[in-house]
Amino acid sequence: FDRDDRSPGWSNDFCHGRSISCFVSADLGMYAQSLMLSMTAHGLASCPQTALSFQADQLREELSIDDSMKLLFGISFGYEDPKHPANQCRVGRAEQPSVVDFYQ
């Protein structure tokens, strides 16, 4: 695990005890979304990385995360370089009526 100096941020708030429930996972996801929106509002770019959980043992060692904690995901964050080719990727969005139902 080599930390890229251009990506200065890491949050370990996304670890939880190994007996995690789906409710805790949902809470963490909503927290992560709010954190990422807040970072955007303050000029920071962010990227959630669930793939980090596949490197959990290596990350635990590098970041001194206790083995009793389950790594769910991480968020990399920093200042975006808009000219870098990796930042040219844009994902389309589904139209709201196809993903949301409103009930009265």
Side-chain angles (χ1 to χ4, degrees):
F1 179 77
D2 292 324
R3 186 161 178 243
D4 184 348
D5 290 337
R6 292 172 294 154
S7 181
W10 168 264
S11 176
N12 71 347
D13 292 331
F14 309 109
C15 299
H16 199 277
R18 290 208 178 259
S19 61
I20 191 168
S21 71
C22 65
F23 300 111
V24 172
S25 295
D27 288 345
L28 286 172
M30 288 183 279
Y31 169 76
Q33 178 184 14
S34 297
L35 176 62
M36 292 174 69
L37 288 170
S38 178
M39 285 192 275
T40 299
H42 287 90
L44 291 167
S46 60
C47 179
Q49 298 181 351
T50 56
L52 292 176
S53 65
F54 297 113
Q55 303 296 326
D57 292 336
Q58 197 171 359
L59 288 168
R60 276 193 195 90
E61 182 179 332
E62 182 73 24
L63 302 173
S64 301
I65 297 172
D66 190 84
D67 191 45
S68 66
M69 304 300 281
K70 180 174 183 166
L71 179 64
L72 299 177
F73 59 93
I75 294 179
S76 295
F77 57 95
Y79 296 99
E80 180 180 13
D81 176 0
K83 295 177 184 170
H84 193 281
N87 294 327
Q88 303 308 308
C89 178
R90 295 292 180 252
V91 178
R93 306 273 182 195
E95 295 293 322
Q96 186 183 38
S98 69
V99 294
V100 177
D101 291 321
F102 293 99
Y103 298 93
Q104 293 185 16

